[in-house]
Amino acid sequence: MGSSRTGILATLVVLAGLAASGSSYEIIEGPKNAMVLEGSEARFNCTISPGWRLIMWSLNGTVVLSITPTEPIITSDRFTTASYEEGSNFISEMIIHDVQLSDAGHVRCSLQNSDRDASAFLSVIVMGELFISSGVLTVIEDEPCNVTCRASGWTPLPDISWEIGVPVNHSSYYSVREPDEPQSTVSILALTPQGNGTLTCVATVEALQVHKSVTVNLTVVQPPVGSSYHSEVRKSATVKTNKETLQTKLKSGNENHGYSSDEPRTTKSASVPPRSSEPSVPEHRSSRQPYQGPDDRQQGPTSRPQVSFIMGSPRKVRNVTLV
């Protein structure tokens, strides 16, 4: 390791001695800003006029690659170089392999013994996770429901859209950032489904037109026979109201507690004529004999006694004439 470092320093010293002061070489065109996916490659070009002796590439202030007219000086396998001729000019290309989020920042091309340099900015896109809360969704036909899609660990945050592969009566969606997770966002889809199908959540980074998607199967079932969920709630409320009304009526005195059935309560049977619909009237007597009520035991020889049966309650009396 020590010998390698010594060799690099010796090369730089030799190149510094070879460089003529006041030379006219310069950077004709510097690198351009780049945006790449994490894990991919980033490439930057620097076009230089003839006469140069040393080209240096730095990332966020640290020299990561040097090129001499004979060979490159590579200090890391993640940073390599390629070169091209453009007329009499020289194009140096720096390649960053397996780009990481920590690589984002300033890329600088500079020349030895020259105050000229050129810079660009490297942006790194991180595609995080994307998932829907449930792998399989079962909902009720024509009943509103919500489906949630979450994008986590993205840089920058993606735009989220939905591809609806089911017949719907209504659908809409909106996205919100999660306050405690700056690299996460949530999209909520509201829909009223009318049949089976699929729902696809799509996260897109517009700058590179890259996207990731996740799909869920939606199964629609029929509501309970003769009603939907809301009608069941209304039915339950109606039954409860009717029950309360009935209880109120029973407590208000409408129930006739003095009523009893016309059926006899004893096991003894008596042969009685059918009850007349007309009220019972005592027979006329002579003017010298007063009217005898049903409780009097003295009856005329031709009179028909009246017998009172008390049926279940003293409030109801049946008058029956015995033959």
Side-chain angles (χ1 to χ4, degrees):
M1 183 71 175
S3 59
S4 175
R5 184 175 299 175
T6 302
I8 294 173
L9 293 175
T11 301
L12 294 176
V13 170
V14 171
L15 292 174
L18 294 175
S21 59
S23 58
S24 60
Y25 56 86
E26 59 181 359
I27 297 175
I28 299 174
E29 184 177 4
K32 306 295 183 181
N33 294 339
M35 178 178 289
V36 300
L37 287 175
E38 182 184 38
S40 64
E41 293 182 351
R43 293 173 177 263
F44 297 91
N45 291 338
C46 191
T47 303
I48 305 166
S49 62
W52 61 275
R53 293 292 181 267
L54 182 66
I55 303 171
M56 293 176 290
W57 287 97
S58 63
L59 178 62
N60 292 321
T62 300
V63 176
V64 293
L65 182 65
S66 298
I67 298 102
T68 69
T70 57
E71 62 180 356
I73 303 174
I74 297 176
T75 58
S76 171
D77 292 339
R78 290 186 59 232
F79 303 92
T80 62
T81 183
S83 59
Y84 313 94
E85 298 290 339
E86 187 180 67
S88 59
N89 297 326
F90 179 82
I91 300 176
S92 173
E93 181 178 50
M94 181 182 69
I95 306 169
I96 305 176
H97 302 270
D98 189 22
V99 174
Q100 303 298 309
L101 182 61
S102 58
D103 295 331
H106 288 89
V107 174
R108 180 172 174 262
C109 170
S110 61
L111 301 177
Q112 184 185 30
N113 289 342
S114 173
D115 56 359
R116 298 291 303 274
D117 62 23
S119 299
F121 194 85
L122 171 62
S123 299
V124 180
I125 294 175
V126 178
M127 297 181 68
E129 299 296 327
L130 185 69
F131 56 91
I132 297 178
S133 56
S134 176
V136 178
L137 297 178
T138 301
V139 297
I140 298 177
E141 183 180 4
D142 274 334
E143 291 290 340
C145 63
N146 291 337
V147 182
T148 301
C149 181
R150 185 171 183 264
S152 177
W154 289 67
T155 301
L157 289 178
D159 296 326
I160 298 182
S161 59
W162 290 84
E163 296 176 359
I164 301 175
V166 299
V168 296
N169 184 31
H170 165 79
S171 66
S172 63
Y173 63 87
Y174 64 94
S175 298
V176 293
R177 292 188 178 184
E178 294 188 306
D180 297 333
E181 297 186 36
Q183 292 180 302
S184 298
T185 185
V186 171
S187 180
I188 300 174
L189 170 66
L191 73 160
T192 305
Q194 295 181 318
N196 299 335
T198 59
L199 298 174
T200 301
C201 175
V202 182
T204 304
V205 178
E206 294 293 342
L208 288 182
Q209 286 298 305
V210 294
H211 67 274
K212 180 182 286 190
S213 64
V214 59
T215 300
V216 64
N217 293 322
L218 186 72
T219 301
V220 174
V221 297
Q222 295 296 320
V225 177
S227 62
S228 64
Y229 171 77
H230 295 292
S231 63
E232 284 293 323
V233 173
R234 290 193 294 269
K235 180 179 178 182
S236 176
T238 302
V239 171
K240 182 179 180 182
T241 302
N242 291 341
K243 183 177 179 181
E244 292 175 350
T245 303
L246 177 59
Q247 291 176 347
T248 303
K249 287 183 178 180
L250 292 177
K251 292 179 181 179
S252 65
N254 291 338
E255 183 180 6
N256 185 1
H257 295 281
Y259 169 78
S260 65
S261 172
D262 287 343
E263 296 295 330
R265 293 179 178 268
T266 62
T267 57
K268 296 180 181 180
S269 60
S271 178
V272 294
R275 181 178 179 183
S276 174
S277 60
E278 297 295 332
S280 177
V281 179
E283 292 185 358
H284 292 283
R285 293 181 175 85
S286 64
S287 59
R288 290 177 297 177
Q289 186 176 5
Y291 163 73
Q292 300 295 326
D295 293 333
D296 296 336
R297 296 182 181 274
Q298 297 178 0
Q299 299 290 341
T302 60
S303 66
R304 297 179 180 178
Q306 290 184 348
V307 179
S308 297
F309 289 136
I310 300 176
M311 306 297 288
S313 172
R315 297 180 183 178
K316 184 172 183 181
V317 177
R318 171 179 290 176
N319 295 326
V320 178
T321 302
L322 296 180
V323 180

